[in-house]
Amino acid sequence: MKKSLMALGSLLMLGGVASAQKVAFEEYDLDNGLHVILHQDKTAPVIITSVMYHVGSKDENPERTGFAHFFEHLLFEGTKNIERGEWFKIVTANGGNNNANTSDDRTYYYEVFPSNNLELAIWMESERLMHPVINQIGVDTQNEVVKEEKRLRVDNQPYGNLIAEVKRNMFQVHPYRWATIGSMDHLDAATLEEFQAFNKKFYVPNNAVLVVAGDLDIEKTKKWIKQYFGPIPKGAPVTRQTFEEKPITQTLHATYEDPNIQLPMVVAAYRTPSMKTRDARVLDMISTILSDGKSSRMYKKIVDDKKMALQMGAFNYSQEDYGLYIVYGIPMQGHTSEELLKEADEEIKKLQNELISEKEFQKLKNIYESNYVNSNSSVEGIASNLATYYMLYGDVNLINNEIDIYRSITREEIRDVARKYLNPNQRLILDYVPAKDKAQN
């Protein structure tokens, strides 16, 4: 009874926090097409200035993969007014930090500064857009940096090619079929003119969203944005080709040998709809039921109770055009990949045939309330969310009302979406195994 009262108290408190966490923002466009979103938060003397560009690895030439990620590095090289090698020094000297990241769908740059450096932050991001210096020295330098990153994070990382191999086998025509980090051979073969053309095509104000969040004066911020970003000329409209994959109607099989592992992994991957769909949110919930935490169905049964697996999990890999639902497991000695897959399939079948209990459903809703609060608990998180909801979802106010979508999902929908997407004839089975010479050692 005491535990129930504590849980009820926590839930009521969480509900209060969630409703109190509404994110206020203002958005508008500059004449050059740059979309601007401002969020004021005076709780700490910190500001975040970020720019998200609608360019990811899916926008690349199939013979020049890796360009989007390469630019994540290249555009820190310097500008007309920031000498090569000075970018990070300026940021550090002014008490800030910065970074960038790339996905298949977008590239995101951001700076975190004490709020008295807001004008500097806005100027620096405008410089990256208006005056980038793209020369052979910078290209050659960053080529080596990217190669080292690939060696560290992919080539020499256990299971480092897992997502890349799933994508390669799941997509036949869509550009999601290649890895975000791309091909080093493609980058080596590229000319300086090709890099410059990529920048001219995608790094334009009408293909970007600027978010400024934190301890800011709205009117001063607008003035500086107009002053520094306003003169940047509008680029040619970015047009994108639509790629449609044929449905998977019978099980695909593939094998990949990884020299960095000693234990095999079995992977079952299902192609799923865009992150913008309601079904994608239901699949998020399904992955939480199956493998979020030690009390989740797959972990408790296969890892804890039966001790058949070292690891067992499932996750929804949502993207702008398509998603992937991935189930994976590493068998314990004496057990096989086939056994793990059979156990995982049994848990999926339960979801397809039986409604989850009201108790489990309430726990699920509590988790999503908590996730909602946590995702907007920092100004950095809010800035990233504002940019993402505008750029990839087309609705900035999802930062406030996406939780309502999760709240409205029913137990019947969970069952029906599991039936719709998670069937054996709609998937890839990938045997991710040690390289033969490794296995014999």
Side-chain angles (χ1 to χ4, degrees):
M1 181 66 178
K2 186 178 178 184
K3 283 185 179 178
S4 298
L5 288 171
M6 286 174 63
L8 178 61
S10 298
L11 180 59
L12 290 171
M13 200 164 75
L14 187 61
V17 173
S19 61
Q21 279 232 336
K22 186 174 174 66
V23 175
F25 61 88
E26 181 178 346
E27 57 179 327
Y28 62 97
D29 290 313
L30 296 184
D31 291 342
N32 58 15
L34 178 70
H35 194 72
V36 180
I37 305 174
L38 306 179
H39 165 69
Q40 187 182 66
D41 181 347
K42 296 281 191 178
T43 55
V46 173
I47 55 96
I48 287 82
T49 303
S50 67
V51 182
M52 183 176 285
Y53 296 90
H54 202 175
V55 56
S57 57
K58 73 177 181 188
D59 298 296
E60 296 161 350
N61 175 345
E63 299 303 317
R64 290 292 182 267
T65 63
F67 266 46
H69 172 258
F70 192 84
F71 267 78
E72 174 200 318
H73 293 265
L74 187 62
L75 292 186
F76 283 103
E77 271 288 305
T79 75
K80 179 180 173 184
N81 298 301
I82 301 174
E83 289 187 15
R84 184 169 180 266
E86 292 297 308
W87 186 286
F88 296 106
K89 291 179 185 177
I90 293 171
V91 171
T92 304
N94 286 278
N97 65 77
N98 63 184
N99 215 328
N101 52 70
T102 311
S103 77
D104 289 358
D105 299 312
R106 93 292 179 275
T107 308
Y108 184 63
Y109 302 83
Y110 66 92
E111 280 82 33
V112 183
F113 274 116
S115 51
N116 61 345
N117 284 315
L118 176 56
E119 184 178 8
L120 172 66
I122 291 172
W123 172 73
M124 290 183 77
E125 279 302 333
S126 73
E127 273 290 299
R128 193 199 307 273
L129 181 54
M130 191 175 193
H131 296 129
V133 173
I134 298 172
N135 57 25
Q136 199 61 53
I137 296 172
V139 167
D140 291 345
T141 301
Q142 295 308 321
N143 204 349
E144 291 306 311
V145 171
V146 171
K147 284 178 180 175
E148 182 58 28
E149 180 182 346
K150 186 172 185 291
R151 283 190 286 267
L152 185 66
R153 295 188 179 179
V154 179
D155 298 341
N156 298 323
Q157 182 76 21
Y159 311 101
N161 275 301
L162 175 61
I163 298 295
E165 282 302 304
V166 169
K167 288 166 57 179
R168 189 171 69 83
N169 286 282
M170 290 291 278
F171 295 104
Q172 303 303 312
V173 297
H174 196 286
Y176 285 163
R177 67 185 182 273
W178 56 78
T180 309
I181 202 164
S183 161
M184 298 305 102
D185 289 343
H186 289 177
L187 294 175
D188 287 343
T191 65
L192 179 60
E193 289 73 23
E194 286 176 300
F195 288 111
Q196 291 168 338
F198 191 87
N199 181 78
K200 183 179 180 182
K201 180 176 181 179
F202 293 108
Y203 281 83
V204 292
N206 43 303
N207 195 45
V209 55
L210 166 68
V211 178
V212 185
D215 181 20
L216 54 90
D217 178 295
I218 295 287
E219 293 311 311
K220 272 188 182 178
T221 304
K222 286 182 175 179
K223 176 191 161 194
W224 287 329
I225 290 170
K226 185 175 181 181
Q227 178 181 344
Y228 295 115
F229 280 93
I232 302 173
K234 188 173 188 174
V238 176
T239 57
R240 289 180 171 83
Q241 188 177 347
T242 299
F243 298 92
E244 190 168 343
E245 292 284 343
K246 292 179 181 176
I248 297 170
T249 56
Q250 58 183 17
T251 308
L252 307 173
H253 292 274
T255 301
Y256 179 77
E257 295 185 6
D258 187 337
N260 302 303
I261 65 172
Q262 295 180 328
L263 298 172
M265 177 184 281
V266 63
V267 179
Y270 308 78
R271 196 189 302 139
T272 55
S274 163
M275 67 204 314
K276 293 179 260 194
T277 62
R278 185 178 177 89
D279 283 359
R281 275 95 170 188
V282 180
L283 285 160
D284 286 340
M285 285 189 149
I286 288 172
S287 69
T288 302
I289 296 165
L290 291 178
S291 74
D292 186 5
K294 293 189 176 181
S295 63
S296 62
R297 291 186 178 192
M298 281 187 182
Y299 190 94
K300 188 172 187 313
K301 176 186 175 186
I302 305 170
V303 178
D304 268 1
D305 295 347
K306 294 195 171 184
K307 295 183 170 46
M308 295 173 66
L310 282 172
Q311 287 186 29
M312 198 74 212
F315 61 95
N316 189 29
Y317 187 81
S318 288
Q319 295 179 278
E320 188 177 18
D321 299 339
Y322 286 100
L324 294 168
Y325 192 86
I326 298 175
V327 178
Y328 65 93
I330 300 175
M332 289 278 281
Q333 191 170 5
H335 293 280
T336 65
S337 294
E338 290 75 18
E339 287 178 279
L340 296 197
L341 192 58
K342 180 175 177 289
E343 295 288 340
D345 282 347
E346 284 180 7
E347 291 307 311
I348 291 171
K349 282 176 188 172
K350 282 182 188 176
L351 279 181
Q352 292 173 330
N353 295 323
E354 304 167 15
L355 295 180
I356 67 171
S357 70
E358 286 288 0
K359 182 180 178 182
E360 192 173 13
F361 190 45
Q362 186 59 59
K363 176 187 171 185
L364 186 63
K365 290 197 279 189
N366 292 352
I367 289 170
Y368 278 81
E369 294 284 350
S370 178
N371 290 346
Y372 166 68
V373 173
N374 291 337
S375 70
N376 292 330
S377 64
S378 70
V379 184
E380 292 97 322
I382 288 172
S384 175
N385 286 340
L386 287 168
T388 300
Y389 285 127
Y390 169 76
M391 184 66 75
L392 301 184
Y393 291 82
D395 181 2
V396 186
N397 204 45
L398 279 171
I399 197 168
N400 292 313
N401 60 30
E402 188 178 42
I403 184 62
D404 295 329
I405 300 174
Y406 285 106
R407 286 171 180 154
S408 70
I409 290 168
T410 65
R411 295 188 299 155
E412 288 78 11
E413 280 183 280
I414 290 170
R415 178 197 62 200
D416 294 345
V417 167
R419 285 177 178 175
K420 185 175 181 181
Y421 298 106
L422 306 183
N423 297 302
N425 66 315
Q426 295 172 294
R427 69 185 179 186
L428 162 75
I429 302 298
L430 172 66
D431 287 309
Y432 197 100
V433 297
K436 287 188 173 66
D437 58 342
K438 188 81 175 177
Q440 290 167 1
N441 287 339

